[in-house]
């Protein structure tokens, strides 16, 4: 037997690998033994030959198997990684959070727009406010939804009253764009303006394109009037319009029988003209309203009645001419009027502007009865536009 087989110290690395693999085989014990029946042979050469080829190939095969098995285990570990599900949940929560933030942003922007339309805006850091009230369209007494071309005394006077009751409001701006209307409606608004002034709240007028007749009526008693050079204003006076359609009725075969308790009870009816007595009476009514108008202008503008009457022949004045005549105080735009109101109200810094009745779609929807159309609104104002007693206009 050679020294290599006897002396373990002389064994090379290949022989040690063979012995270790054979010993670690599950089919062998701790000692390597050859069956007695000689199946594998007993000679040293046969053993060396098998040891030099067979066990080494077995080791290589086992190594490849282990690598393959490790890859499979690694893939399973990746697929079963406990951190993957929390990561998905985290990404999902981030998505939810972004959606919620987007919705909150949209809601806040919508509330900002709505609140601005309903009367909140400007100077958020200043508690002192300037209330802005729009007077747009024909002025008459009644209750009509906003944005339909009419300015009712109920709404305007109510807004002035509410502004004056607000301790934060230090001044009021009336933004006027109106051809005038009912003298009675103008008087209702003037009364509320005077009540606000009695509380120490100055009222400033900002005239737009048009501020004539009853629109000037409500402007005269205010503390300051600002117009543009091209504004049309003035038209100080009163008219009473009657319509005689009796000839048309005859041509169409329409006939009337009027039962009346007095001679003038049907005065102004379209089925006949006015009598001389009725014409004289109509003139006296107009002059009574005219005197009231003159008095308001005289007191509000600090002018003599004679001077006012010299200007009050019904003519319209441009803003430039009106300033020369003392009917307005200065030139400027809407924002100049706000600054002037803040100054008169003793507000330091930029004031908070509160729009009491700014026209908007949301306000129109909120102030209108459901299903009420423009046609219905027109019927509500017919008592003024088509009065059976004629239409008294200032």
């Amino acid at each position: 037997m050679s020294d290599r087989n006897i002396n373990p110290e002389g064994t090379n690395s290949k022989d040690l690998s063979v012995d270790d693999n054979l010993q670690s085989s599950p089919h062998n014990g701790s000692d390597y033994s050859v069956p007695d029946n000689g199946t594998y042979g007993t000679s040293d050469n046969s053993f060396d030959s098998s040891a030099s080829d067979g066990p080494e190939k077995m080791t290589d095969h086992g190594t490849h198997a282990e690598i393959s098995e490790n890859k499979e285990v690694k893939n399973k570990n990746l697929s079963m990684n406990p951190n993957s599900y929390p990561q998905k949940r985290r990404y999902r929560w981030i998505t939810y959070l972004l959606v919620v933030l987007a919705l909150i942003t949209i809601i806040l922007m919508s509330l900002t727009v709505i609140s601005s339309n309903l009367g909140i805006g400007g100077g958020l850091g200043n508690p002192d406010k300037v209330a802005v009230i729009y007077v747009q369209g024909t002025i008459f007494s009644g209750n009509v939804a906003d944005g339909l071309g009419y300015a009712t005394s109920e709404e305007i006077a109510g807004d002035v009253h509410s502004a004056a009751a607000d301790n934060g409001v230090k001044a009021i701006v009336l933004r006027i764009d109106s051809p005038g209307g009912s003298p009675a409606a103008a008087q209702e608004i003037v009364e509320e303006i005077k009540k606000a002034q009695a509380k120490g709240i100055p009222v400033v007028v900002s005239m737009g394109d048009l501020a004539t007749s009853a629109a000037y009526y409500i402007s005269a008693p205010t503390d300051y009037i600002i117009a543009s050079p091209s504004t049309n204003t003035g038209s100080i006076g009163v008219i009473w319009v009657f319509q005689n359609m009796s000839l048309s009725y005859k041509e169409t075969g329409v006939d009337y029988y009027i039962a009346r308790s007095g001679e003038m009870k049907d005065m102004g009816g379209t089925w006949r003209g006015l009598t001389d007595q009725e014409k004289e009476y109509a003139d006296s009514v107009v002059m009574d309203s005219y005197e009231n108008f003159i008095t308001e202008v005289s007191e509000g503008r600090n002018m003599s009645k004679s001077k006012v009457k010299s200007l009050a022949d019904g003519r319209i004045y441009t803003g430039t001419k009106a300033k020369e005549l003392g009917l307005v105080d200065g030139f400027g735009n809407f924002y100049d009027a706000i600054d002037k109101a803040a100054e008169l109200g003793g507000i330091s810094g930029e004031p908070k502007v509160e729009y009491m009745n700014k026209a908007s779609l949301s306000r129109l929807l909120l102030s209108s009865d459901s299903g009420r159309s423009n046609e219905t609104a027109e019927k509500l104002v017919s008592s003024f536009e088509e009065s059976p007693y004629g239409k008294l206009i200032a």
Side-chain angles (χ1 to χ4, degrees), residues 47-320:
F47 178 77
D48 290 341
S49 175
S50 63
S52 62
D53 294 330
E56 185 175 1
K57 292 180 179 179
M58 185 183 297
T59 302
D60 293 340
H61 179 74
T63 301
H64 289 301
E66 289 177 2
I67 293 174
S68 177
E69 184 177 355
N70 289 337
K71 286 184 178 179
E72 292 180 0
V73 171
K74 185 176 181 180
N75 291 334
K76 289 181 179 179
N77 288 337
L78 288 174
S79 63
M80 298 177 64
N81 186 355
N83 293 327
S84 63
Y85 183 65
Q87 286 178 353
K88 290 181 179 179
R89 291 188 63 185
R90 183 167 64 253
Y91 294 146
R92 190 175 301 165
W93 276 109
I94 292 174
T95 302
Y96 291 157
L97 181 61
L98 292 175
V99 171
V100 171
L101 290 176
L103 291 175
I104 292 174
T105 302
I106 294 172
I107 292 172
L108 290 177
M109 291 177 64
S110 301
L111 291 176
T112 300
V113 172
I114 293 174
S115 63
S116 176
N117 289 335
L118 294 180
I120 301 174
L124 295 179
N126 196 336
D128 295 333
K129 297 183 289 186
V130 172
V132 174
I133 300 170
Y134 287 87
V135 182
Q136 296 177 310
T138 303
I139 301 170
F140 76 104
S141 58
N143 180 20
V144 178
D146 300 330
L148 298 179
Y150 296 95
T152 67
S153 59
E154 181 176 330
E155 178 198 357
I156 305 303
D159 287 336
V160 173
H161 181 83
S162 298
D166 187 342
N167 293 329
V169 172
K170 305 302 180 183
I172 297 172
V173 170
L174 298 178
R175 176 62 170 173
I176 299 178
D177 194 355
S178 169
S182 163
Q187 288 170 347
E188 289 184 352
I189 296 171
V190 166
E191 288 303 314
E192 285 301 325
I193 290 173
K194 291 181 177 179
K195 289 177 183 177
Q197 291 171 321
K199 292 182 178 182
I201 300 174
V203 181
V204 174
V205 165
S206 170
M207 292 181 173
D209 294 323
L210 191 65
T212 56
S213 198
Y216 188 78
Y217 199 143
I218 66 176
S219 301
T222 62
D223 297 276
Y224 201 87
I225 300 175
I226 292 179
S228 296
S230 297
T231 295
N232 287 327
T233 187
S235 187
I236 301 170
V238 180
I239 62 173
W240 194 356
V241 180
F242 298 92
Q243 190 174 20
N244 182 2
M245 298 182 64
S246 58
L247 183 60
S248 176
Y249 291 152
K250 287 180 180 179
E251 291 177 353
T252 56
V254 178
D255 191 16
Y256 283 90
Y257 170 76
I258 307 298
R260 56 190 179 182
S261 60
E263 291 296 325
M264 301 177 69
K265 186 59 180 176
D266 66 338
M267 176 182 170
T270 58
W271 47 84
R272 68 175 181 85
L274 299 179
T275 66
D276 291 340
Q277 181 184 3
E278 290 171 338
K279 290 177 182 178
E280 291 179 4
Y281 179 74
D283 290 340
S284 67
V285 171
V286 167
M287 292 309 296
D288 283 345
S289 294
Y290 175 73
E291 285 296 327
N292 292 332
F293 199 162
I294 295 296
T295 300
E296 290 295 344
V297 175
S298 174
E299 294 177 355
R301 301 305 303 169
N302 195 24
M303 299 168 64
S304 66
K305 284 189 176 182
S306 60
K307 183 177 182 180
V308 174
K309 286 183 178 181
S310 69
L311 305 175
D313 58 0
R315 74 182 64 186
I316 291 175
Y317 302 103
T318 64
T320 301

